[in-house]
Amino acid sequence: MWPIPTSRSSSSATPCNTNALICLKNAPKLNPKNFHALTKLDENRAKCQLALKAGVFYDKISNMTIWGNHSTTMVPDFVNARILGFPATDVIRDRKWLEEQFTPQVQTRAVLSSRSGAGRQQHPRPCRWWTPSGRSPRPPLRATGSRSGVYTKGNTYGIDDDLIFSLPCRSKGDGDYEVVPGLIVDEYLRARIQKTEDELLAEKKCVSHLIGLENGYCDLPEGDTMLPGEQ
C-alpha cells in the first residue's frame, strides 16, 4: 500500500482527523509525521471573518490557528492571531463578537462544507506553515502562520499523545515540520481545546477495532461527529 518511506497521507473526508489516525495506525512503517488532516479551509474562513470585521484585506491576517477536530468543536484561535502585525484582540476589541459570533460561524461553516464536499477546495494548497524566513519549501506558499491536523505525540500543549489534532506548525525547510511552541492558551482557549480533544478521544474509542485497540465502545458527546460507515 505504501511503496516508499516518504509517502504522505492527507485526509479531508469527515471525520478527517480520525480517518487520518486510522490510516496512520495501519501503516506502521511510515513516520507518523507523514499523516495530516486538512483544516486549511477552516483557517481560510477564520481569516476572512477577521478581515471583514477589521476592514482589511485577507492577507493582512496572520498566525491564525485552528485547534482540534474538524467539527463544530474546532477552535479558531483569535487570541494568537494577528491583524496588520498587531494582536487581533487589540484591533477588534469586541470580545463578545469574537467569542459568540466569530467562533461559532467558523465552526458551523466548516461542517456545512464537509457535508457538501467543499473540503475538496483544500487539495490545491493543503498546507501553509509558519516559516522563520517567510518562505515555504513548496512555493508559492508564503504564509507567516498556519495549522494542520498532525500527530500529537510529544506536543507541548498537554494534548493527548495519540491523536490527529489541528495544531500550529512551522516548516523546517526540508519537508519536515515542528509544532510551534509557546502560544498563549488562556482560560477561554483551554476550555474549548479540552472539549475538542474529548470529542477526538471519543471518536478514537469508536474506531478501536480499526486501529488495533481492544475494549472500544462508542459514546460520542453531542456534536457533529460523523464516523466511517455512518450515513
Side-chain angles (χ1 to χ4, degrees):
M1 181 178 178
W2 302 102
I4 54 175
T6 54
S7 295
R8 284 173 167 77
S9 171
S10 296
S11 173
S12 62
T14 303
C16 63
N17 297 60
T18 298
N19 283 338
L21 183 65
I22 293 169
C23 193
L24 183 157
K25 293 297 184 178
N26 284 277
K29 293 184 179 181
L30 293 186
N31 187 338
K33 295 180 76 174
N34 290 4
F35 295 85
H36 296 263
L38 303 185
T39 49
K40 179 60 187 172
L41 196 59
D42 308 325
E43 179 194 351
N44 287 346
R45 289 203 178 90
K47 292 171 76 172
C48 284
Q49 291 303 314
L50 291 182
L52 287 169
K53 183 68 172 178
V56 301
F57 286 110
Y58 167 91
D59 63 358
K60 303 304 179 185
I61 312 299
S62 59
N63 294 12
M64 184 70 234
T65 295
I66 301 293
W67 299 88
N69 198 8
H70 177 70
S71 75
T72 53
T73 66
M74 75 173 69
V75 187
D77 183 358
F78 59 80
V79 175
N80 292 285
R82 290 185 168 267
I83 301 173
L84 295 170
F86 298 99
T89 50
D90 287 352
V91 178
I92 301 174
R93 296 183 178 272
D94 188 347
R95 181 85 183 201
K96 183 176 181 180
W97 179 86
L98 289 166
E99 293 183 5
E100 299 180 10
Q101 294 187 50
F102 163 74
T103 297
Q105 186 169 23
V106 175
Q107 292 171 327
T108 54
R109 284 298 301 163
V111 171
L112 289 173
S113 292
S114 291
R115 289 175 172 172
S116 66
R120 289 191 297 269
Q121 297 174 27
Q122 299 185 76
H123 283 291
R125 295 185 178 187
C127 297
R128 296 195 181 203
W129 306 104
W130 299 59
T131 57
S133 64
R135 294 177 297 172
S136 168
R138 294 186 178 183
L141 310 184
R142 300 182 297 275
T144 57
S146 189
R147 53 38 298 138
S148 179
V150 297
Y151 194 50
T152 52
K153 186 174 182 179
N155 77 90
T156 60
Y157 291 102
I159 308 300
D160 184 271
D161 264 354
D162 193 33
L163 296 173
I164 295 290
F165 195 96
S166 188
L167 292 168
C169 297
R170 175 168 53 215
S171 171
K172 292 183 177 180
D174 58 0
D176 195 8
Y177 70 88
E178 62 185 355
V179 174
V180 177
L183 268 64
I184 298 169
V185 179
D186 63 9
E187 185 176 346
Y188 171 85
L189 279 181
R190 175 57 60 194
R192 281 148 187 81
I193 289 172
Q194 184 64 59
K195 182 178 180 179
T196 197
E197 179 184 1
D198 288 345
E199 183 179 61
L200 282 169
L201 288 169
E203 287 187 20
K204 179 182 172 183
K205 290 177 181 177
C206 282
V207 299
S208 59
H209 59 297
L210 300 176
I211 58 176
L213 298 178
E214 298 180 354
N215 302 319
Y217 61 92
C218 208
D219 184 23
L220 289 171
E222 183 178 352
D224 188 76
T225 295
M226 185 184 298
L227 292 171
E230 291 186 355
Q231 300 299 319

